[in-house]
Amino acid sequence: MMIKCELFNGLSENALKEILEKGVYKTFKQGETLIKEGEAGDEFFVIIKGKVEVSSRGSVIAVLGDGEFFGEMALLEGVKRSATVRAIEDTEVFILNRDGFKELLKINPKAGLKILQTLSNRLRKSNERVIEDVRRETRLSTLGKVAGTVIHDLKSPLAVIKGYLEFLEREDLPFDERKEIVKILRDEVNKMLDIIQDFLEFSRGKDTLHPVPARIIDVLNSAIQPLKTVAEEKEIDIVIEGENLPCFLDPMKIKRVINNIVMNAIEVMDGGLITITTSRDGDFCLLSFKDNGPGIPPEIRGRIFEPFFTSKSGGTGLGLTIVKKIVEDHGGRVDVKSEKGKGTEFLIWLPLSSS
């Protein structure tokens, strides 16, 4: 019977005949088990025709077909089988016992090299699967935590909205009070939209960007304009300085970065100044957001970009996580400098446009 397997390449006709005479041929029906995890192993298998599934601890780790081999680990290490192999279609195999396997390695050193290469490739693929499984499990766990956080944080504005809607039903409610309630309702709805947007941004993983050439101060002005009313109510001035550098960015995403950083500053300040400065730093545009607010305590400064970490009540703790994610998705980076009682400076590097 003809066997196509790289382990036999380079063998003389007589040597190949000698090896084949040391083995046996066997056919396994679909669903039959060829070797079982945990059992002693004294045989090496080469697939002549068919397909098998290799699994360990209930998880499929490989599917092997014509010309591929398995069972070498137990023979090389003298240990019990580390996996179960089951035929997923009718499968013909050539089987060598321990002595025959040793003879193959002795008369054909290239077979040993091929086995090592195959083991290395299988190990790499196994590691990739393990890493991906860990990432998936971690992400599912994290998303579960995010969902719980979002649901919890939505309860507060929903309760406010429900209460004020009952006031609006009163026919004797003065117009000024009605107008004030509508403003409160609008603010609470916007708060809910921000919470939901944070959840969507975080749950997407690495997002698809739509970068275009854009002038950075144009983007800054567009993002800051809606925030000026809120800033003025707290007697906070926002000043933009520097060169209108050409950048390559996704305007909508970067506006979200700007909004998150500036709103964080506004929320903790009681009057004062936020200065946004642009400058060139090599192939990057450097954005500096500097405020004269209370600063970030040193004990929490290193944690501000962590998911769910927040020192504010009613926040998801995802705002600065999303800032970091968006900037890094652009190929940039973000840093922070702060001293308690002396303000905070966020530094963001974004790639310049080559045009």
Side-chain angles (χ1 to χ4, degrees):
M1 187 178 291
M2 188 70 173
I3 302 177
K4 293 182 179 180
C5 180
E6 290 185 74
L7 297 184
F8 301 146
N9 291 349
L11 287 176
S12 66
E13 187 175 337
N14 288 336
L16 178 59
K17 183 179 179 181
E18 182 181 343
I19 291 297
L20 295 181
E21 287 175 350
K22 290 181 180 292
V24 296
Y25 300 90
K26 190 171 181 180
T27 299
F28 291 84
K29 295 293 185 182
Q30 180 180 357
E32 280 193 86
T33 298
L34 287 74
I35 62 177
K36 192 172 182 180
E37 186 174 358
E39 293 182 342
D42 289 310
E43 294 177 326
F44 172 73
F45 298 75
V46 177
I47 301 172
I48 300 170
K49 184 180 179 182
K51 200 170 288 185
V52 301
E53 178 184 83
V54 184
S55 62
S56 179
R57 298 181 182 180
S59 298
V60 176
I61 57 177
V63 174
L64 307 178
D66 297 3
E68 295 188 276
F69 55 86
F70 57 91
E72 71 285 344
M73 292 298 294
L75 299 182
L76 289 170
E77 297 183 324
V79 296
K80 293 182 178 180
R81 297 294 191 189
S82 59
T84 295
V85 179
R86 183 177 61 88
I88 53 178
E89 58 183 56
D90 290 353
T91 301
E92 298 175 58
V93 294
F94 172 71
I95 306 172
L96 276 175
N97 61 20
R98 187 181 297 274
D99 291 337
F101 180 68
K102 288 181 178 179
E103 184 65 21
L104 172 62
L105 297 182
K106 180 179 176 181
I107 65 177
N108 188 14
K110 288 184 179 179
L113 179 60
K114 176 60 183 175
I115 288 172
L116 289 176
Q117 290 173 338
T118 301
L119 289 176
S120 175
N121 185 50
R122 288 176 184 171
L123 180 60
R124 183 174 64 252
K125 288 182 178 179
S126 178
N127 285 341
E128 289 172 354
R129 279 193 296 270
V130 169
I131 291 169
E132 185 57 35
D133 286 346
V134 170
R135 284 176 177 166
R136 183 168 57 252
E137 291 298 323
T138 301
R139 187 156 193 79
L140 287 173
S141 173
T142 302
L143 287 177
K145 188 174 180 181
V146 176
T149 302
V150 169
I151 292 168
H152 177 269
D153 289 339
L154 287 177
K155 286 181 179 178
S156 178
L158 281 172
V160 172
I161 291 171
K162 181 177 181 294
Y164 276 108
L165 284 175
E166 292 173 358
F167 272 98
L168 285 178
E169 290 177 347
R170 288 173 42 189
E171 295 181 0
D172 62 339
L173 189 69
F175 176 78
D176 288 345
E177 288 187 33
R178 190 179 297 273
K179 186 176 178 182
E180 182 62 28
I181 289 174
V182 169
K183 180 182 180 300
I184 292 170
L185 292 175
R186 186 184 298 114
D187 290 343
E188 293 301 315
V189 169
N190 286 334
K191 187 184 296 182
M192 291 174 64
L193 291 174
D194 286 341
I195 291 169
I196 293 168
Q197 184 64 32
D198 280 349
F199 172 70
L200 292 175
E201 289 281 0
F202 185 79
S203 65
R204 285 189 186 114
K206 184 162 184 177
D207 210 354
T208 301
L209 300 178
H210 301 285
V212 295
R215 294 281 175 175
I216 192 60
I217 288 185
D218 296 344
V219 177
L220 282 165
N221 282 330
S222 178
I224 294 300
Q225 188 59 41
L227 307 180
K228 284 188 174 180
T229 302
V230 182
E232 287 169 0
E233 288 177 355
K234 297 191 69 175
E235 298 183 347
I236 297 170
D237 292 322
I238 302 176
V239 176
I240 300 174
E241 301 175 338
E243 187 179 350
N244 199 6
L245 295 167
C247 294
F248 194 62
L249 49 80
D250 183 326
M252 293 302 295
K253 297 291 184 184
I254 296 304
K255 285 179 185 179
R256 183 150 182 79
V257 167
I258 296 165
N259 182 286
N260 281 2
I261 291 177
V262 174
M263 279 305 299
N264 276 353
I266 291 173
E267 287 172 4
V268 299
M269 293 173 68
D270 186 16
L273 176 67
I274 299 173
T275 304
I276 306 172
T277 307
T278 68
S279 61
R280 188 183 297 267
D281 187 4
D283 294 331
F284 291 86
C285 168
L286 172 59
L287 288 173
S288 165
F289 297 81
K290 194 169 186 177
D291 66 60
N292 57 2
I296 303 171
E299 61 269 19
I300 69 170
R301 196 177 306 143
R303 300 188 59 196
I304 61 173
F305 295 108
E306 293 179 12
F308 316 114
F309 180 80
T310 179
S311 58
K312 301 184 297 182
S313 60
T316 62
L318 292 175
L320 289 178
T321 303
I322 291 165
V323 164
K324 186 172 186 289
K325 173 182 173 295
I326 292 174
V327 171
E328 290 180 350
D329 284 353
H330 276 79
R333 64 187 179 93
V334 59
D335 198 3
V336 62
K337 298 177 181 178
S338 187
E339 189 174 347
K340 192 173 181 180
K342 295 186 178 180
T344 299
E345 181 181 18
F346 279 91
L347 300 167
I348 289 177
W349 286 263
L350 293 171
L352 289 167
S353 174
S354 56
S355 59

